[in-house]
Amino acid sequence: MSTRSVLLAPVLLVGMLTSHDRPLQAQEPANPEIVGRWDLTVHAKGGDHPSWLEVWTSGDTHLVGQFVGGGGSARPISRIDFANGTVHFSIPPQWDKRSDDETYEATLTAGTLEGWTMSPSGERIAFVGKRAPTLARTGTPTWGDPHALIAASSLAGWREPNRGWTVSDGVLTSVGKADNIVSAATFTDFKAHVEFRLPRGSNSGFYLRGRYEVQIEDSDAAEPPLDHMGGIYGFLAPTWDTRKQPGEWQAFDVTLVGRIVSVEMNGTRVICDREIPGITGGALDSDEGSPGPVMLQGDHGAIEFRNIVITPAR
């Protein structure tokens, strides 16, 4: 662009503003009581599972957002209706075994959402929600002593059930179709080093606090980059693709402080100080304000782990 064009552009823009184009800072956002992030718990027939909702304004009066269910990735919501304390929205299915849209409705009372959704069979399922914590931190963390999670030859330090996993010479192995294995220890803010190896086409995940999945997979499928290796599944895409070939040992170095995450994949920073908005699909719970364990995904494919070391903040 020429210098003349640069200088004229702001003048033309100011001249074109009308009363309808003025900045909106002075206007109240639509429905501020529902806008924000919500940690949900769904009381399904087979047991409780976590979900998550974020609502924000689009223009002066409309509401849009995104939603995470018990599995899969974050899904956009094109329209959210809120009136007289009741919120309502629908989303198309993702990995769910259904052909109709999922519908959610809830009443907001004293900062708590109470509502329902419909199962594929038409059964009404209740859920409750509370505002998600900001997890904002002040200052710079100081780090404690490293904590190794894998024993030399046993599953000590991992909760049961842990079907499908074995340990030999410090290598934790799943041949696939295994349980998602969960550490007995829980953590708040921490640095993590993890080494892993997977065969061609396999898929796993490294869950921070049991809620936020760092994706592990070997795939060139046409999914968004945020669903690929090194991303925070469904939310944050890695800047670079630094994965190695299947069958080679690879490594993540992850720092999580509050909601702020950085990820190095095989020695290259691929996510730098980004905010994780909420839980990812497959999370253990939606209690984001509490410490949580490390969880390794075993139900998607074969995977090996070694040298998992957690360094917690003091």
Side-chain angles (χ1 to χ4, degrees):
M1 182 180 290
S2 69
T3 303
R4 177 179 172 82
S5 298
V6 171
L7 293 174
L8 285 178
V11 177
L12 291 173
L13 179 61
V14 171
M16 293 167 60
L17 286 174
T18 69
S19 61
H20 299 292
D21 297 319
R22 301 301 180 193
L24 301 177
Q25 286 88 335
Q27 298 187 21
E28 290 292 326
N31 306 308
E33 58 270 38
I34 193 63
V35 169
R37 296 167 176 167
W38 298 88
D39 288 335
L40 311 179
T41 300
V42 180
H43 303 305
K45 186 175 182 180
D48 290 353
H49 68 78
S51 285
W52 176 86
L53 170 69
E54 183 172 21
V55 181
W56 62 85
T57 58
S58 177
D60 295 345
T61 58
H62 290 78
L63 298 172
V64 297
Q66 56 183 338
F67 177 85
V68 175
S73 60
R75 285 175 272 178
I77 309 172
S78 62
R79 181 185 181 96
I80 297 174
D81 295 315
F82 183 74
N84 301 318
T86 298
V87 62
H88 178 278
F89 63 91
S90 296
I91 51 176
Q94 192 182 57
W95 303 108
D96 318 86
K97 296 179 180 179
R98 62 192 303 163
S99 57
D100 60 327
D101 287 355
E102 296 180 38
T103 298
Y104 290 80
E105 184 172 303
T107 300
L108 176 59
T109 305
T112 299
L113 284 172
E114 294 190 44
W116 57 270
T117 183
M118 300 295 289
S119 72
S121 61
E123 178 185 11
R124 182 173 288 203
I125 301 171
F127 69 87
V128 296
K130 60 181 181 180
R131 281 203 178 274
T134 64
L135 303 183
R137 306 289 195 247
T138 58
T140 301
T142 58
W143 303 106
D145 297 326
H147 183 92
L149 294 189
I150 302 178
S153 57
S154 77
L155 288 168
W158 298 92
R159 301 179 194 171
E160 294 182 349
N162 46 41
R163 294 179 297 265
W165 294 90
T166 59
V167 178
S168 179
D169 295 327
V171 177
L172 178 63
T173 301
S174 165
V175 296
K177 303 297 182 182
D179 290 324
N180 294 337
I181 190 170
V182 178
S183 69
T186 60
F187 308 94
T188 302
D189 296 341
F190 60 88
K191 297 189 293 186
H193 175 82
V194 53
E195 298 174 16
F196 57 91
R197 179 166 65 178
L198 71 168
R200 186 172 300 280
S202 195
N203 184 306
S204 183
F206 183 76
Y207 279 76
L208 315 174
R209 299 191 196 119
R211 301 182 188 108
Y212 315 116
E213 181 186 6
V214 185
Q215 172 72 310
I216 297 174
E217 49 87 61
D218 173 62
S219 174
D220 293 316
E223 290 184 309
L226 45 79
D227 289 348
H228 282 301
M229 175 87 93
I232 304 301
Y233 188 72
F235 283 128
L236 305 177
T239 304
W240 313 106
D241 182 359
T242 60
R243 58 187 164 148
K244 297 182 180 180
Q245 293 299 310
E248 295 185 73
W249 282 104
Q250 309 193 57
F252 288 148
D253 287 280
V254 183
T255 301
L256 180 65
V257 178
R259 293 186 179 277
I260 305 303
V261 67
S262 294
V263 179
E264 289 187 9
M265 181 166 60
N266 298 320
T268 298
R269 183 69 60 91
V270 297
I271 294 177
C272 183
D273 292 338
R274 296 286 304 281
E275 183 189 48
I276 304 176
I279 66 169
T280 60
L284 288 173
D285 61 48
S286 58
D287 187 10
E288 293 190 87
S290 297
V294 165
M295 183 171 73
L296 310 177
Q297 193 173 58
D299 61 354
H300 278 35
I303 184 76
E304 295 173 284
F305 291 95
R306 69 182 185 188
N307 296 334
I308 300 180
V309 178
I310 306 296
T311 303
R314 293 187 188 277

